[in-house]
Each structure stands twice: as structure tokens, then as C-alpha cells.
Amino acid sequence: MSGVELKRTERLAYREARPAGEETGVPVLLVHGFPESSLMWEQVMEALAAAGRRAVAPDLYCLGDSPDPGPATFERNLEALGAFHSELGLGRVALVVHDWGGFVGLAWACEHPDEVAALVISDTGFFADGRWHGVAEMVRGEQGEQVVGALDRDGFAGLLRSDGADFDDATVDAYWRPFESGRGREATVEFYRSMDFEKLAPYDGKLGELGVPTLLLWGPEDEFAPIGGAKRFEREIPGARLVTVDGAGHFVFDQAPERCADEVVSFLREAA
């Protein structure tokens, strides 16, 4: 039985797992990407709790079980993550991010360097000179509403499975729910259009300045956030360690959940 509970703050839904005994290190804050939710972290969170770590993972606005606050922009998600961290009284955390969660979580880390004890960065980007992949460019464009509006459940499943991840139907349904009955479609357009890479310029060099242990955990077959980004992080963050999961694409935590959980737990144990 899962030891992960679904909870809520005033702004965000979140999942939490607590160790049965004494905590062995700082809490772990995990931030998911598109089009997933905190559900993606369940197996990692269970492993962290078994290793003595409290693990918390919010749902970004309009994804998972989080409410609709209006425009679900990069800025509003960044502000909500900060409020979530404060409301739960987490203090210093090990931060784990994937996809969109990299933009939101790493920006928060740069703005709160004293609150970050370690980083795990997976299949994302955080570069002011970055470029969006083709699907994102379509969503950001004038026809974005039509592109997202035309997506049905089968097309959504195809997107999730497009680079090799074998999502089961129940998981696809869980991620599809905000798009079917919530404001997931609108939120997708709002976030992509708000996320101009130039907005990351104030954070140039800041991750390296954190001076914290950093694991780069990547699917080398990723077509959305290619391995070149991981190698750039490795160059720009002193001491960062790159681990690739053979055969995995963008959704590496879903393709190799046990391996990824082991990598995160082992890294944080060594970093403590």
C-alpha cells in the first residue's frame, strides 16, 4: 500500500510521504512538469520516506488536483511554489525538478539560495538562450488554442508515449482529467506563452553559485529536452554529476521508476 497521501493547502494540492521513524535529512521538494502532476513522483517519494526523508510534491496550477487561480503562468506558479514552501514550513530542502518543474523550481532556488541543500535536475532546461521544441512553438503561436483544443484522450496518450514511456491507461486517465473536465487546456497555453526564455536571464550563473551537490538525471533519448542540455548543466554547475538511463526518453521517471528512485535516494544519502 502506498504511503503517499494527497493533501491540500489553500492554493495547491500536493502529495506527501513521511518516514515511519526519525528523519535522516532535510525534506525533499519535488516539482513535476507538463502534462503530469505530483502523481509522477509517487514511487520516488515512497523510496525517500523509506530512507528517512519527508517528501512533498505540489501539483502546479490546473494540473493534477490543484485549483484554477486564473492565468496559470510561469510567474504565478513560481509565486505559488514559494508560498507552498513557506506554508509547510519546509526550511532547507533538496529540490528535485522535471520538465516545466525545472523552470519554476530552479527559479525559486536561485531566488532562495539559503533554502536549497541539493539539486536533482531531470530532462528540463534553464537557459536564457534556449529554444522551444516544435510542439511548444505551436502552442505558443496564434493557433495555440486550436492546437490544444483539438487534443483528445487518444492523442494525449500518444503524446505521453511518444518517446517510449509505457504509461498504463489509469495513469493516462489521471493526467488527462484536468484537460477533459478542468482548465488544463487553457493552462497549457498560458504557461507556454508566458515562458519566454529571456525571462531566465537574471538567473544566469546562479545555479553554479548555489554551491550545492547536484545530480543530473536524464533520459538520453529525450526529444523534448535533449541530452545536450544535461551536458550544459554539467559544464555550468561545478561538481554536477550526470547520470543517464539507457533507453529512456523525456519521461525518465516513468520509464525507469525503480532506477530513478534508487539514484535519487543514493545521491541524497551521499550529499547529506
Side-chain angles (χ1 to χ4, degrees), residues 41-255:
W41 300 119
E42 277 204 338
Q43 191 157 338
V44 181
M45 295 174 75
E46 290 173 349
L48 286 165
R53 296 277 190 146
R54 179 188 181 192
V56 294
D59 289 342
L60 297 178
Y61 279 144
C62 300
L63 297 175
D65 290 281
S66 277
D68 174 9
T73 60
F74 163 70
E75 289 84 359
R76 296 194 75 182
N77 275 292
L78 175 57
E79 193 274 334
L81 180 64
F84 173 81
H85 173 272
S86 296
E87 185 172 344
L88 266 61
L90 296 175
R92 293 191 82 215
V93 297
L95 178 67
V96 183
V97 299
H98 179 262
D99 189 78
W100 276 9
F103 301 128
V104 176
L106 296 178
W108 174 83
C110 291
E111 293 180 3
H112 301 85
D114 293 338
E115 303 286 6
V116 182
L119 293 173
V120 178
I121 302 172
S122 179
D123 296 79
T124 187
F126 196 65
F127 310 111
D129 59 354
R131 294 184 179 182
W132 281 112
H133 52 78
V135 174
E137 286 289 5
M138 288 192 294
V139 174
R140 283 168 55 83
E142 293 182 0
Q143 305 301 314
E145 286 82 2
Q146 291 91 320
V147 170
V148 176
L151 191 66
D152 61 14
R153 194 269 185 195
D154 289 342
F156 182 82
L159 175 65
L160 284 171
R161 295 165 175 159
S162 62
D163 70 347
D166 186 22
F167 289 92
D168 61 35
D169 286 341
T171 302
V172 172
D173 288 341
Y175 293 145
W176 172 243
R177 180 166 41 83
F179 294 82
E180 182 177 46
S181 59
R183 221 174 60 82
R185 299 174 190 271
E186 294 89 341
T188 299
V189 175
E190 290 160 359
F191 189 95
Y192 272 123
R193 284 185 177 161
S194 74
M195 192 58 252
D196 300 320
F197 283 106
E198 293 84 356
K199 293 180 179 180
L200 301 177
Y203 307 121
D204 281 352
K206 297 294 186 182
L207 293 178
E209 293 174 6
L210 291 176
V212 299
T214 301
L215 172 66
L216 309 169
L217 185 56
W218 228 266
E221 308 304 320
D222 191 340
E223 297 180 357
F224 301 105
I227 190 68
K231 293 179 179 178
R232 181 169 174 180
F233 278 124
E234 187 178 28
R235 293 193 301 269
E236 295 187 2
I237 302 175
R241 178 161 60 93
L242 173 59
V243 173
T244 60
V245 178
D246 289 346
H250 185 66
F251 298 105
V252 60
F253 280 89
D254 301 280
Q255 287 182 269

